[in-house]
Amino acid sequence: METVAGAVTHEPPPAASGRQAGPLIVTEDVDLLDDLLRLCAAAGATPEVHHSVPERASGWEAAPLVLVGDDAARRVRGAARRRGVVLVGRDEDDSGVWRRAVEIGADHVLMLPDGEQWLVDRIADVAEGVGRPALTVGVIGGRGGAGASTLACALAVTSAREGLRTLLVDADPLGGGLDVLLGGETAEGLRWPAFAASRGRVGGGALEESLPQLHSLRVLSWDRGDCVAIPAQAMRAVLAAARRRGGTVVVDLPRRVDDGVAEALSQLDLGLLVVPAELRAVAAAGRVASAAGMILRDLRVAVRGPYAPGLDDREVARLLGLPLAGEVPVEAGLVRPGEGKAPPGAGGRGPLARFCRRFWERALVEAGAA
């Protein structure tokens, strides 16, 4: 339990697909109720309002989120313990609020007005039907031409083929566009410039529906314009929306770390550093790993052959001081789909597809999502 004005630290109770009921508000404080109703309206949710615990036990237990005014804490003290209870107050100097939060089993103590944006996001999450967040994986090249974009596409295509909701995010404005690699440069849908000015919260469903759909996955890539950077706020809003939809998110990252890339790294569950097995590549990858590792805690190395004399995948991982994710196989004939070939990993039977399938099997188990 903590005082909140920012990040979510507890997931809401598992939600059914689609939109669901709004939060339950318990308060007799008219001014506080006005504020909470205003925040619910901003989040697109319709709440149920009571002065104390609803007579129907299901009204308390089934609500996706319960907002208890500090004035009502004593009246709900005997209610069944559950997750997703927020004690809302205004007096930051009142030390007794912590005792009252413990008495009602609250997950959070929230003070208005400082916590308004956090609360709007949380209400919108439950209204949107948010369950387990997406497993989010970043792919970074240890040097130019390492094959990071190819692996990112193959991971996304494999995830979608396995039936997971999948979003592929191209975070490298100078990479030529992952939609091109997937053969969808002319596909209808929004690209990064449409989101560059995003601030605050982006709706997960609206984001998904606005993007091109290629090979059963959604792709956020670049147009052919002059936009060459993603502001950190836009990256934060887009990836947060993508993660709320569940499934998997794959992010293709550039080797340089600017503010937008730093934000992306902070939202990853794990990262793969793709390193060709040659000494110069290992040296270059060391610098990339040092920069990315300052933000991303779980960075693993994926080694790509052929191997220089004296090197194998374990030795490359040892030299970089990173866990080994495995050896990325080289597939002959991986060319642009526009030239008549399928995108990376699309066949499902080649060595690259097998690598990706094994990766997801392990990663989803580790994340507790399988």
Side-chain angles (χ1 to χ4, degrees):
M1 180 179 64
E2 60 178 322
T3 302
V4 229
V8 177
T9 58
H10 266 284
E11 290 300 321
S17 60
R19 299 186 66 85
Q20 62 178 47
L24 169 66
I25 298 175
V26 182
T27 183
E28 285 186 326
D29 185 326
V30 175
D31 292 334
L32 179 60
L33 178 58
D34 284 345
D35 282 337
L36 293 178
L37 290 175
R38 171 176 56 84
L39 297 177
C40 285
T46 302
E48 182 179 342
V49 180
H50 289 268
H51 297 318
S52 59
V53 178
E55 292 183 4
R56 295 180 298 105
S58 60
W60 171 270
E61 295 172 359
L65 181 68
V66 178
L67 308 177
V68 179
D70 195 24
D71 66 290
R74 291 179 176 82
R75 294 194 297 277
V76 303
R77 191 181 297 167
R81 295 300 174 102
R82 50 154 293 167
R83 294 177 59 189
V85 176
V86 180
L87 182 63
V88 185
R90 297 182 186 276
D91 187 359
E92 295 185 1
D93 296 325
D94 180 8
S95 59
V97 69
W98 294 100
R99 174 179 51 78
R100 293 189 290 277
V102 170
E103 288 174 350
I104 67 173
D107 292 335
H108 302 285
V109 173
L110 184 138
M111 293 296 172
L112 297 180
D114 290 347
E116 284 194 358
Q117 186 57 56
W118 181 91
L119 188 54
V120 169
D121 289 346
R122 185 66 179 272
I123 295 169
D125 282 349
V126 299
E128 196 172 21
V130 175
R132 183 185 295 276
L135 175 60
T136 305
V137 177
V139 186
I140 315 170
R143 66 154 169 80
S149 294
T150 297
L151 179 58
C153 285
L155 286 170
V157 168
T158 302
S159 171
R161 190 176 56 248
E162 295 296 313
L164 297 170
R165 172 184 275 125
T166 305
L167 174 62
L168 175 60
V169 178
D170 186 352
D172 185 357
L174 303 180
L178 294 186
D179 55 347
V180 176
L181 188 56
L182 291 170
E185 57 265 45
T186 61
E188 293 185 1
L190 299 182
R191 266 67 173 179
W192 262 120
F195 299 97
S198 297
R199 301 291 186 272
R201 189 179 192 278
V202 173
L207 171 68
E208 184 177 37
E209 293 171 5
S210 72
L211 299 177
Q213 185 170 15
L214 303 168
H215 307 284
S216 301
L217 59 96
R218 298 286 179 168
V219 182
L220 176 54
S221 189
W222 298 87
D223 62 10
R224 313 310 157 212
D226 297 329
C227 181
V228 293
I230 308 168
Q233 288 181 310
M235 182 68 78
R236 181 182 308 120
V238 167
L239 285 186
R243 285 174 59 84
R244 287 196 299 271
R245 296 294 287 170
T248 67
V249 176
V250 180
V251 187
D252 184 30
L253 294 161
R255 297 189 306 281
R256 75 185 193 287
V257 179
D258 59 16
D259 290 344
V261 174
E263 177 61 37
L265 287 167
S266 73
Q267 295 209 36
L268 299 180
D269 294 305
L270 65 93
L272 294 177
L273 181 65
V274 185
V275 184
E278 57 184 48
L279 288 176
R280 287 188 63 190
V282 173
R287 292 189 287 272
V288 177
S290 178
M294 295 179 66
I295 305 169
L296 177 59
R297 293 183 179 181
D298 190 353
L299 181 62
R300 311 176 191 182
V301 61
V303 183
R304 181 174 64 78
Y307 292 95
L311 287 181
D312 60 18
D313 52 358
R314 290 183 174 82
E315 179 63 10
V316 171
R318 187 192 68 80
L319 290 171
L320 291 171
L322 295 173
L324 177 63
E327 177 185 355
V328 181
V330 178
E331 273 189 10
L334 280 179
V335 295
R336 282 192 56 200
E339 298 174 10
K341 298 293 183 180
R349 296 183 179 179
L352 184 58
R354 288 196 295 272
F355 170 88
C356 293
R357 190 163 53 249
R358 289 194 297 268
F359 169 81
W360 286 123
E361 289 172 355
R362 292 193 302 268
L364 289 167
V365 169
E366 290 174 7

